Amino acid sequence: MRSFRVLLLAGLAGFALTARDTRANLAVADYRYFRALSIDLAGRPPTRAELADFERADFDLDAWIESHLTGDAYAERLRRIYLDALRLEIGPSFQYVPNPVMLRRQQITGPDGAPMFVYFRRGQRRVDPARDGDFCLTQDETGQQFPTNAPPTGTAKPIAQAVLDERTVVVKPWWLYADYRETTPTDVVAPEWVKRFPGFVPAPALLMEPDGKTKATSVRVCREEAQTAETGAVYVSGRVAAKKGEPLPGGRLTQPPGDSGFAKTAKGRAVSCLSGTGFSSSVECGCGIGLERCLPNAGPQNEAPAFVMPARTPLGEDMPFEANPQAPAAWIRMWWGEEASKFLDALFIEDRDFREVLTSRATKVNGPLAQFYRYLAGASCCGPGADVGYSQPEPLFDPAAVPEALTPEDTATWLPVADRGPHASGILTMPVFLTKYGSRRARAHVLYNAFLCKDFVADSVKLSPSNDPDLMKRPGCSSCHQTLEPMAAYFTRVQESDWTWLPATVFPMSNPKCANGKGGGLCKQIYDPAFDKLRGAYGSPVHAEQGPAGLANDLIAAPEFAPCVVENVAQSLLGRTLAPEDDAWKLQLVKVFVDGGYRMKSLVRAIVKSPRYRAGNDRR
Amino acid sequence: MKLAALVVLVGCGAGAITPSQTTALPAHQTRMIDTTPKERRRMVSPEVYLRAYLTWFGGLVPLDVQNRARPKGLFDAWDDYLSALGLPDYKTDLPRQTQSNTLMLATLGRLGEALCARAAEHDLHGGKTPLDQRVVFAFDLDGADSDETFMDRFDVLHRTFLGYPAKLAPGERVTKFHALWTDVAARHAKAKNPLTADETAWVAVCTALVQHPEAELY
């Protein structure tokens, strides 16, 4: 009886407390508003505990909103708006398999008769014509032939120990050792790496020896690939190409590389081993310390597995769904996309001026991106540019700006980079943007659409035959291209589907050697014979010299920029397109956004507190 | 004849009626016109749904949810569901789905069923999980069944999935859900494993709520 009384008293006290401390007059609309706020600003519906808080008499909704206008969920909500518009992830249709970067492997028979792996680069320059540009072991030595991008053929025989020692070396590579740069690396891949380097999981095939049982603690790699020099001398073989029908040296299946025009003119000159030119023209360039300039492939083909990674990460890379071994290209493409996401998140979380999305020279990088910008990005340079002396790439992202603390395994640490370099400009110069939108026109188009909320709609004119190369004049084309070509011209000096910058000091706007369609590879690839200008520059040579930063400045100065941001954000939060009845409200929001220094927080605050957000989606 | 025509002409031409001055009608009542465009509710984005789903599953990461939900064929693999939920795939330029479809609703139903069945096994079956550690069914099944006890328990689920108290729900929602509960419990009266009749009935209520239009819209 006594305990019942205690319970009764406690119950009454609880009731009195509840009655005093909760808001009894809350309506369904209030709850729905709070749920909408929670979904948009906290990234999920409210929990029961949060609803209980909401019902408390002293609950301050304004303070709640204010406290949720920052943080990961808020940033993700805004990021989603711009990623839906820009779709900044690269799929397998963009193959990133540059020979200077991709370290492939072949399986041979070791001196003891057991199978063993040997890593190599396709196209690696070597002095011996039997092995130059190809695998470092020949048919005579292994009993096998090594077709391009395919497993070996023929009957394997044990390789002589002396040959193996002469042609190859043993290396402790970066994907097995976090301290690979030490003289004696010891920090070998281990189960505890899951916590230290979440998301960095080498494919099982990279972690095991060919027997599938023994853990790999080092790799055997062709001697030339293991070189660590920063520069190499341009090599000229002086070889004469074999005539048709003549046997190829060493039983190889393809012709050894010949001497390029660049090699002949620059013989002995030092070239950067970080550039594609260094790779293709010097026998002294390798994959660097711990093979850090290369990405491993568990096979000889283009897309052999390398890293276990999720195919999709809708909740971010730290909340992975199913993962499976994927090629190193997929690994790099994923981190390119993550760079854009982290860059956008920083803008929103730090409530920075949103115009920086296009203009900022800052970014954030983690270990894989640091490795890419330091060692891999230059590999696509310089192609025919070498013929005019462009062998040391002038980067969009200065490798010297990359934080030194990051190792390639360090996927979880994101460090800021205050200034990528003079050519950098927001997302416009990030690899994910430049490869997702490979052509100059595609780049201009998506920006026109996402940041000015405009699109190109063709005129309904009668098309007449024309061979005018100037699309700004050609009937039927001109209505769109009068705007598009000058915008696309801003990307003239960034190679298409790549990030290689074409500096004016090496590539003048017009090159007399290429005039009137003259000249070879350089003239055809870099210059447009129809206009005697750099390709893509004819729409506006002035824009071409300004580069992507010029386009960024044009876009943010456009009168459509701020209204477009407002439109994108408001439409996403309301879940509907803005109607003419919204025009006055939109104008108010534009003023809020601009007066607030183009910061998202003021804009989102104004939207979620507006009656339109609160009741607009309640058609009853 | 001429005279008759003259009479008609004189009769028609004389005394023309001129329109009076237009004036506004006097106001009877002043009402504000709401010109705000009205639309149907928004779909909860798949990202939000997934995050909510993980929260309802006890804050697990996606792969743990998959492992926990998979036994007895209740769940396959996330990859089988992600596209059906309407997620965009930026890699292949597949846009976000902004309208529901039958496949999406079937997927939500399947996910909801997996959640509720597994949560009932964790929270209710055996009655060993402390109340504060229950992920969905944060109530006891002890005591007699009555409208009042059902309401209290139903309110827990209603708040979890729809975000407001059951007493504010429209129409006869509580009555209808109680009828559902009673019907399912009766049909499983002899069941003991894997769930008892009461537990199975709560799974049915939970499954219906988690895929209620109000849970998927906002």
Side-chain angles (χ1 to χ4, degrees):
Chain A
M1 190 62 187
R2 187 169 167 234
S3 63
F4 175 73
R5 246 181 297 171
V6 170
L7 275 175
L8 183 66
L9 284 171
L12 287 173
F15 178 76
L17 187 71
T18 306
R20 195 177 65 239
D21 286 0
T22 58
R23 296 183 288 169
N25 56 348
L26 285 171
V28 176
D30 297 315
Y31 285 98
R32 283 185 173 158
Y33 178 46
F34 183 59
R35 183 168 180 265
L37 288 170
S38 182
I39 284 171
D40 280 329
L41 302 182
R44 53 168 176 70
T47 61
R48 288 192 298 268
E50 287 164 345
L51 281 175
D53 278 346
F54 173 67
E55 289 167 340
R56 288 175 62 92
D58 59 353
F59 184 79
D60 184 343
L61 187 58
D62 285 341
W64 187 94
I65 291 173
E66 209 55 37
S67 68
H68 285 78
L69 290 174
T70 188
D72 292 344
Y74 164 77
E76 189 218 300
R77 181 69 184 85
L78 293 176
R79 186 215 311 154
R80 218 187 296 151
I81 298 170
Y82 278 92
L83 286 190
D84 278 0
L86 296 165
R87 306 182 300 282
L88 290 178
E89 282 183 29
I90 313 286
S93 58
F94 179 79
Q95 281 208 322
Y96 178 70
V97 284
N99 283 336
V101 166
M102 293 301 160
L103 198 57
R104 302 156 199 268
R105 79 179 184 195
Q106 293 284 13
Q107 185 173 313
I108 62 165
T109 301
D112 59 356
M116 65 186 301
F117 295 129
V118 177
Y119 286 79
F120 74 106
R121 288 194 291 187
R122 213 179 85 201
Q124 173 72 48
R125 298 307 306 273
R126 312 178 205 278
V127 174
D128 182 354
R131 305 176 298 117
D132 191 6
D134 210 335
F135 189 44
C136 58
L137 298 168
T138 63
Q139 185 181 20
D140 295 343
E141 294 156 350
T142 62
Q144 295 170 295
Q145 285 185 302
F146 301 93
T148 304
N149 298 348
T153 58
T155 306
K157 65 179 185 183
I159 189 168
Q161 185 68 50
V163 173
L164 189 66
D165 291 343
E166 187 189 339
R167 304 269 194 266
T168 67
V169 291
V170 173
V171 174
K172 290 188 170 181
W174 66 265
W175 62 90
L176 295 181
Y177 289 87
D179 58 347
Y180 67 90
R181 280 190 147 252
E182 299 293 324
T183 315
T184 311
T186 54
D187 188 1
V188 70
V189 61
E192 54 99 15
W193 275 27
V194 174
K195 286 183 183 167
R196 279 172 66 198
F197 308 124
F200 179 80
V201 183
L206 285 183
L207 299 177
M208 306 302 282
E209 295 294 351
D211 62 8
K213 298 172 190 166
T214 313
K215 278 175 66 178
T217 54
S218 59
V219 296
R220 188 167 282 276
V221 61
C222 292
R223 188 169 287 278
E224 291 85 350
E225 278 83 339
Q227 296 174 109
T228 58
E230 296 288 318
T231 59
V234 174
Y235 168 69
V236 178
S237 69
R239 284 191 297 264
V240 180
K243 288 178 184 166
K244 199 173 179 182
E246 284 183 8
L248 295 171
R252 58 184 295 159
L253 297 168
T254 55
Q255 284 274 8
D259 294 327
S260 66
F262 165 71
K264 287 174 188 165
T265 55
K267 181 182 176 183
R269 207 180 83 190
V271 284
S272 167
C273 287
L274 293 175
S275 70
T277 306
F279 166 77
S280 61
S281 59
S282 176
V283 294
E284 295 164 5
C285 286
C287 286
I289 300 168
L291 308 175
E292 63 189 357
R293 297 175 201 153
C294 295
L295 298 171
N297 285 266
Q301 67 272 34
N302 266 342
E303 299 263 319
F307 301 102
V308 179
M309 46 186 279
R312 299 179 74 175
T313 52
L315 301 183
E317 35 91 21
D318 52 346
M319 192 78 96
F321 285 71
E322 278 167 311
N324 49 54
Q326 295 185 46
W331 175 255
I332 288 294
R333 289 193 297 254
M334 178 176 81
W335 296 115
W336 289 346
E338 283 298 319
E339 182 186 10
S341 292
K342 288 282 189 271
F343 173 74
L344 289 169
D345 285 357
L347 282 182
F348 301 135
I349 289 173
E350 295 165 20
D351 200 28
R352 302 180 70 85
D353 184 333
F354 184 64
R355 290 173 294 186
E356 290 181 18
V357 70
L358 299 174
T359 62
S360 175
R361 282 160 62 165
T363 189
K364 279 187 160 184
V365 293
N366 67 348
L369 284 166
Q371 181 188 29
F372 172 76
Y373 286 121
R374 263 195 219 120
Y375 306 124
L376 313 182
S380 58
C381 183
C382 303
D387 291 342
V388 288
Y390 192 43
S391 59
Q392 176 70 43
E394 189 176 321
L396 291 178
F397 191 136
D398 183 359
V402 176
E404 287 192 4
L406 294 168
T407 59
E409 295 88 354
D410 199 348
T411 53
T413 306
W414 288 84
L415 296 180
V417 175
D419 189 350
R420 283 174 282 168
H423 304 306
S425 191
I427 57 166
L428 274 57
T429 54
M430 289 183 183
V432 67
F433 179 80
L434 295 170
T435 51
K436 176 85 184 184
Y437 303 100
S439 72
R440 290 176 288 270
R441 289 181 186 130
R443 293 166 185 171
H445 180 198
V446 72
L447 295 171
Y448 186 68
N449 192 245
F451 293 99
L452 299 185
C453 294
K454 291 160 75 173
D455 213 339
F456 294 106
V457 181
D459 258 355
S460 55
V461 295
K462 187 180 176 185
L463 295 177
S464 53
S466 169
N467 56 7
D468 191 337
D470 188 342
L471 298 185
M472 297 187 293
K473 292 178 183 164
R474 192 185 288 188
C477 302
S478 61
S479 58
C480 298
H481 284 268
Q482 276 176 356
T483 306
L484 182 58
E485 298 301 285
M487 285 183 76
Y490 284 111
F491 288 101
T492 296
R493 291 199 175 278
V494 184
Q495 279 203 322
E496 294 198 321
S497 295
D498 195 56
W499 43 85
T500 298
W501 179 257
L502 304 174
T505 48
V506 184
F507 303 98
M509 183 57 65
S510 296
N511 188 337
K513 290 179 186 167
C514 301
N516 302 318
K518 288 184 297 185
L522 173 81
C523 292
K524 287 196 172 69
Q525 284 188 34
I526 310 279
Y527 288 92
D528 187 342
F531 298 99
D532 281 343
K533 287 187 175 58
L534 286 171
R535 283 195 179 275
Y538 85 95
S540 171
V542 175
H543 288 180
E545 298 304 353
Q546 291 175 0
L551 176 56
N553 288 330
D554 264 13
L555 288 171
I556 62 169
E560 297 94 339
F561 178 77
C564 182
V565 174
V566 167
E567 190 176 313
N568 283 333
V569 177
Q571 288 186 161
S572 179
L573 288 171
L574 293 184
R576 64 173 173 86
T577 51
L578 294 186
E581 291 87 346
D582 296 308
D583 284 352
W585 181 59
K586 186 177 163 185
L587 275 177
Q588 289 172 16
L589 292 177
V590 170
K591 186 169 183 340
V592 167
F593 180 55
V594 173
D595 291 352
Y598 292 83
R599 286 160 213 280
M600 281 293 186
K601 196 186 269 193
S602 55
L603 175 61
V604 175
R605 184 190 295 119
I607 293 171
V608 299
K609 286 187 172 184
S610 72
R612 275 174 165 73
Y613 178 83
R614 192 179 176 118
N617 290 74
D618 194 11
R619 190 176 70 185
R620 280 182 291 183
Chain B
M1 187 63 183
K2 282 183 183 172
L3 181 64
L6 185 66
V7 169
V8 169
L9 277 172
V10 170
C12 291
I17 301 168
T18 55
S20 61
Q21 197 70 29
T22 54
T23 54
L25 289 171
H28 298 285
Q29 191 181 13
T30 304
R31 300 203 67 172
M32 296 293 287
I33 298 174
D34 181 4
T35 57
T36 312
K38 295 289 188 289
E39 290 285 339
R40 291 190 301 176
R41 293 191 182 283
R42 293 150 283 189
M43 265 178 44
V44 170
S45 74
E47 290 90 344
V48 169
Y49 179 82
L50 286 169
R51 196 161 279 126
Y53 195 83
L54 300 177
T55 308
W56 294 331
F57 242 111
L60 299 178
V61 297
L63 291 177
D64 288 344
V65 166
Q66 181 174 297
N67 293 335
R68 185 178 285 190
R70 194 175 247 167
K72 296 172 193 164
L74 273 176
F75 194 94
D76 303 303
W78 277 114
D79 276 359
D80 299 332
Y81 298 116
L82 292 181
S83 293
L85 286 174
L87 278 169
D89 188 347
Y90 301 137
K91 286 179 190 158
T92 55
D93 291 335
L94 187 72
R96 177 181 302 280
Q97 289 180 42
T98 54
Q99 295 189 353
S100 61
N101 55 57
T102 48
L103 185 60
M104 185 189 293
L105 294 179
T107 304
L108 291 167
R110 183 69 179 269
L111 291 171
E113 196 177 340
L115 165 72
C116 294
R118 288 287 169 266
E121 287 171 7
H122 175 267
D123 291 353
L124 298 177
H125 198 61
K128 290 177 186 166
T129 308
L131 214 54
D132 61 346
Q133 290 175 26
R134 297 188 179 184
V135 293
V136 171
F137 301 95
F139 50 77
D140 273 326
L141 290 184
D142 300 338
D145 289 326
S146 66
D147 288 350
E148 209 170 298
T149 54
F150 176 81
M151 179 64 175
D152 289 346
R153 294 164 186 169
F154 181 63
D155 186 62
V156 171
L157 299 184
H158 201 273
R159 284 169 172 267
T160 301
F161 297 123
L162 307 191
Y164 65 98
K167 66 182 179 189
L168 297 178
E172 299 181 340
R173 180 176 296 169
V174 178
T175 313
K176 286 178 178 173
F177 270 86
H178 197 178
L180 168 71
W181 185 89
T182 307
D183 182 43
V184 174
R187 282 195 281 122
H188 292 78
K190 292 178 183 171
K192 286 185 180 172
N193 280 308
L195 297 171
T196 66
D198 283 5
E199 290 160 0
T200 305
W202 279 113
V203 169
V205 171
C206 169
T207 305
L209 274 178
V210 76
Q211 54 185 313
H212 191 282
E214 284 186 12
E216 293 156 7
L217 302 172
Y218 77 109

